[in-house]
Amino acid sequence: MMSRCTIRSLVGLFITGLIASASAASTADWKPRSVYQTMTDRFARTDGSTTAPCNTTAGLYCGGTWRGTIDKLDYIQGMGFDAVMISPIMENIHGRVKYGEAYHGYWPLNFNNLNSHFGTHQDLLDLSAALHSRGMYFMLDTVINNMAYITNGSDPATHIDYSTLTPFNNADYYHPYCNMSDWNDMKIAQKCNTGDEIVPLPDLFTEHEDVQQLLIKWAKNAIKTYSIDGLRIDAAKHVNPGFLKAFSQGLDDIFMTGEVLEGAVSIMADYQENYIASLPNYPIYFQILEAFTMGNTSLLAKGVEEMRMSIPDVNAMTSFSENHDKPRIASNSKDMAMAKNVLVFTMLFDGIPMIYQGQEQHLAGNSVPKNREAIWLTKYDTDAELYKLIAKLNRIRNHAALLGKDYFEDSTHTIYQGGSELGFTKGVQGRQVVMVLSTQSSKSTAYTIDLTVSYNAGTPVTDVLACKNYTVDSVGTLRVPMDKGEPRVFFPTDYLDGSGLCGHAAANISLAQLKTHSDLTSAGIQYTSGTSLATFLLAVATSIFVTL
């Protein structure tokens, strides 16, 4: 008879092979996922140290590796994430300038080599296998706009030796050098240098067929070799937009989300309609800041409605409130209520949530490079308040989706706007998620608001964050107690079985079962249309381990 360990290994290998064969996942495959964004050099070290120093302001390599990431997947999965993004993997320029080294991965030197600071070819293979064995997706941050070269103040127009850059080793592969005189002028933004006179970033001529084919060839090889499921395109705003479409088509329409740092919804809509299926939702990001750091609720309320009406597929966008380029939320205020409300909205609004490493630890770096802290110095605290909050939010999001794949076809609606409160609903009436958010501080006092639009009259609902039950009254009003700026997240009490929240066991349970209160299958799961085959098999494996 095979041992438990042997069975676990065989099942893990089977699932790894299954998911790897289905890599290059589509946008539809990614919509139910939530992503934990790592910066490889700052996430986890091979030696497992939680004391190794890392001076963020020096901008030097601090020792994070792919092997270290493998060893901390339990930490990530403990928050409920089922996808991980890592930094760009290609070899970066060597040497140190006055503001540091290429620890971040955005200064490419040679696409054909890996960044040895992060690990080896085998380490990266092992990271991919480790993720897939857990049913998690693997996302790669990717640079296709530029290369990098150290000039240290010499004129970049005359002092870049293109022969040192691989595979783009002559000037014909690049736009003629020009300074970025206007970041908001798309024609300038797509042809000029995004670096500076210390480290210029020669701008690839992505309109050129040879450049396009070399980038597609490299990406195809990386996706195949490392079983990559999706890509983030760094600085996509600065890439010729026609190439974004060609790049996606050349990679069999793998999911990719492209960074276009613009606040206008119309620009997002144009990109999604014509060039790329997903973008980080910068318009909503700016409105999150406006609401929760400045107390202006009206822009976010209106912004949610504008996104719903204007964006072809808002659920394909990536939702975020922190990243490696922007100040941490806690740099505005250490108030925990602000952090909680921001996270609730980020996780439950339309789109694929992408949480930047350290947000769960309430880190407070106020700019680059201070917002690129070493996570090991937090001791990977799984008792941190925001760590546990994210786990709850992933649970309710997953549960709502499990009860109907239409959850990711519906868009969030604004249902309440007060002087310091916002109410939103997402999902089919009767099994929707309702969030009520506050811009008040944790020192605020108790009061009550009335939601006249929420659930049908008489519906029992549970605030899944506080695990308190309420009932919508006979005229359809849900009275919501507010206190200390705490957010509320409601879900119909009768449909919480299987969620793993508020005393309910976690299980893959169908809507039909909840409606009829039927028993779970003997394996302890139900395979539903909203559950991928890989997730289904992973649940079977888990059931086997429990019963062995």
Side-chain angles (χ1 to χ4, degrees):
M1 181 177 179
M2 288 188 294
S3 69
R4 178 185 303 186
C5 181
T6 300
I7 294 174
R8 183 184 289 111
S9 298
L10 289 173
V11 172
L13 287 170
F14 176 66
I15 295 170
T16 300
L18 176 72
I19 299 176
S21 69
S23 284
S26 69
T27 299
D29 295 327
W30 273 90
K31 284 182 180 180
R33 300 275 167 167
S34 61
V35 185
Y36 186 78
Q37 178 193 352
T38 68
M39 178 166 273
T40 301
D41 182 65
R42 304 296 168 85
F43 179 60
R45 293 167 53 96
T46 299
D47 61 12
S49 174
T50 57
T51 58
C54 180
N55 181 348
T56 57
T57 57
L60 305 180
Y61 281 99
C62 287
T65 62
W66 298 319
R67 183 65 55 187
T69 301
I70 293 171
D71 294 339
K72 291 301 177 185
L73 291 182
D74 283 347
Y75 172 81
I76 297 173
Q77 203 167 27
M79 287 178 276
F81 290 107
D82 48 16
V84 173
M85 187 177 84
I86 65 170
S87 302
I89 60 175
M90 71 280 288
E91 180 184 6
N92 272 223
I93 57 175
H94 305 284
R96 177 178 178 178
V97 297
K98 64 182 181 181
Y99 46 76
E101 300 170 320
Y103 68 90
H104 39 68
Y106 298 112
W107 292 347
L109 171 69
N110 188 335
F111 273 69
N112 297 333
N113 293 339
L114 294 176
N115 189 329
S116 60
H117 288 274
F118 299 158
T120 66
H121 168 68
Q122 189 61 51
D123 291 336
L124 194 52
L125 287 173
D126 290 348
L127 174 57
S128 176
L131 286 165
H132 289 136
S133 71
R134 294 165 177 258
M136 302 174 81
Y137 275 1
F138 186 16
M139 178 179 280
L140 177 63
D141 201 352
T142 311
V143 180
I144 62 172
N145 176 66
N146 56 266
M147 300 296 280
Y149 191 87
I150 296 177
T151 56
N152 260 331
S154 298
D155 184 0
T158 57
H159 285 76
I160 295 174
D161 181 359
Y162 292 101
S163 68
T164 63
L165 307 178
T166 304
F168 308 104
N169 58 5
N170 71 70
D172 293 341
Y173 288 120
Y174 302 87
H175 292 124
Y177 180 83
C178 55
N179 286 317
M180 189 70 69
S181 58
D182 187 350
W183 290 81
N184 295 315
D185 185 320
M186 284 297 193
K187 290 183 179 179
I188 294 174
Q190 289 164 10
K191 292 187 177 180
C192 289
N193 169 51
T194 54
D196 57 26
E197 292 188 350
I198 305 298
V199 182
L201 304 177
D203 198 75
L204 286 167
F205 188 3
T206 50
E207 301 92 330
H208 196 290
E209 178 70 14
D210 289 349
V211 173
Q212 294 184 6
Q213 291 308 312
L214 283 169
L215 286 168
I216 290 170
K217 179 182 178 182
W218 170 80
K220 272 188 172 180
N221 182 64
I223 290 165
K224 180 179 179 181
T225 301
Y226 300 112
S227 301
I228 293 164
D229 302 292
L231 304 174
R232 174 189 176 271
I233 308 300
D234 181 64
K237 170 182 173 178
H238 303 283
V239 176
N240 174 264
F243 176 56
L244 292 176
K245 185 174 183 178
F247 191 59
S248 176
Q249 292 171 340
L251 301 178
D252 301 320
D253 291 320
I254 185 176
F255 173 76
M256 55 179 69
T257 186
E259 181 196 25
V260 177
L261 207 172
E262 290 285 345
V265 173
S266 60
I267 293 176
M268 298 291 113
D270 179 54
Y271 267 86
Q272 196 180 64
E273 287 172 358
N274 298 302
Y275 307 119
I276 190 167
S278 173
L279 305 95
N281 200 332
Y282 267 102
I284 288 292
Y285 164 76
F286 291 123
Q287 290 156 2
I288 288 172
L289 296 183
E290 192 74 23
F292 297 107
T293 70
M294 303 186 71
N296 183 352
T297 59
S298 62
L299 285 182
L300 185 55
K302 292 175 183 176
V304 166
E305 292 303 303
E306 186 180 4
M307 294 295 295
R308 181 170 65 85
M309 300 297 292
S310 303
I311 299 296
D313 188 358
V314 66
N315 284 294
M317 305 285 277
T318 47
S319 172
F320 73 99
S321 45
E322 290 188 1
N323 65 31
H324 58 290
D325 290 328
K326 294 298 178 184
R328 299 277 194 181
I329 294 298
S331 70
N332 295 283
S333 169
K334 287 286 191 177
D335 193 285
M336 190 62 75
M338 177 190 292
K340 290 179 181 179
N341 281 278
V342 167
L343 269 172
V344 169
F345 183 83
T346 304
M347 292 291 299
L348 299 183
F349 178 61
D350 303 327
I352 303 159
M354 183 177 287
I355 302 300
Y356 174 48
Q357 62 174 44
Q359 188 167 2
E360 74 280 5
Q361 299 294 344
H362 208 211
L363 298 183
N366 63 1
S367 61
V368 175
K370 293 180 181 179
N371 60 350
R372 298 173 176 182
E373 307 94 329
I375 304 305
W376 57 81
L377 296 177
T378 71
K379 315 295 184 186
Y380 305 100
D381 182 8
T382 57
D383 287 324
E385 196 167 1
L386 299 182
Y387 181 98
K388 292 189 285 188
L389 173 62
I390 292 170
K392 289 181 180 180
L393 296 171
N394 264 319
R395 281 191 179 277
I396 194 61
R397 182 177 184 268
N398 292 342
H399 185 64
L402 184 63
L403 300 187
K405 62 182 180 181
D406 49 9
Y407 186 74
F408 296 114
E409 296 167 4
D410 184 77
S411 298
T412 297
H413 296 250
T414 303
I415 57 172
Y416 187 91
Q417 182 194 337
S420 58
E421 305 85 23
L422 287 163
F424 303 100
T425 182
K426 180 176 175 64
V428 175
Q429 176 63 35
R431 50 184 170 85
Q432 73 268 43
V433 175
V434 171
M435 52 177 158
V436 180
L437 308 176
S438 173
T439 64
Q440 295 195 20
S441 77
S442 56
K443 295 180 180 180
S444 61
T445 55
Y447 62 100
T448 301
I449 64 171
D450 289 344
L451 287 187
T452 56
V453 177
S454 60
Y455 302 91
N456 293 331
T459 302
V461 297
T462 300
D463 173 5
V464 299
L465 302 185
C467 293
K468 293 184 179 180
N469 297 327
Y470 305 87
T471 301
V472 180
D473 71 16
S474 60
V475 295
T477 298
L478 176 60
R479 304 211 72 201
V480 180
M482 305 295 290
D483 192 18
K484 295 182 173 57
E486 290 285 324
R488 310 293 185 207
V489 176
F490 296 101
F491 198 74
T493 307
D494 292 344
Y495 291 160
L496 274 175
D497 281 347
S499 67
L501 292 163
C502 299
H504 297 267
N508 277 6
I509 190 169
S510 71
L511 180 62
Q513 285 177 316
L514 287 177
K515 287 182 174 179
T516 60
H517 300 286
S518 62
D519 293 331
L520 295 174
T521 60
S522 59
I525 61 166
Q526 174 69 36
Y527 180 33
T528 71
S529 59
T531 307
S532 70
L533 179 58
T535 304
F536 170 76
L537 289 171
L538 191 64
V540 171
T542 302
S543 178
I544 292 171
F545 300 155
V546 169
T547 56
L548 282 174

